Amino acid sequence: LFGPAYKGIPLAVAASISLASAYGQNLNYCFNRKEAKDHGERGSMVGHPLQDGDRVLIIEDVITAGTAVRETLPLLKSAADIRSLVW
């Protein structure tokens, strides 16, 4: 699960918790920061490190304009050779 900053972050976390609690589905999640940090977890991605072949579900609150998806796709593809994207 991927939650684009900022509004998608709590949605991805809540979805991950709910899926584990209600259905026993343990899905990893990650999200991006608007600004990369040079301390702590460093970089712009937080959470599950994406790996080649991962499938990613983008969770966002508004998808009508497509802005989050257009901004997110290059970010995800630069992190790993992900297998598929759904939103």
Side-chain angles (χ1 to χ4, degrees), residues 1 6 16 25 28-31 34-35 41-43 52-53 56 59 63 69-73 78 84 86-87:
L1 304 175
Y6 293 103
S16 179
Q25 297 291 316
N28 295 314
Y29 68 88
C30 62
F31 57 89
K34 291 284 186 177
E35 302 83 24
E41 279 194 40
R42 298 183 187 256
D52 292 350
V56 177
I59 300 179
I63 59 170
V69 173
R70 283 193 305 276
E71 291 175 355
T72 298
L73 290 178
S78 71
S84 63
V86 276
W87 58 88

Side-chain angles (χ1 to χ4, degrees), residues 14-37:
S16 179
I17 292 168
S18 295
L19 288 166
S21 176
Y23 302 103
Q25 297 291 316
N26 293 316
L27 297 178
N28 295 314
Y29 68 88
C30 62
F31 57 89
N32 67 311
R33 293 183 172 120
K34 291 284 186 177
E35 302 83 24
K37 292 192 175 187

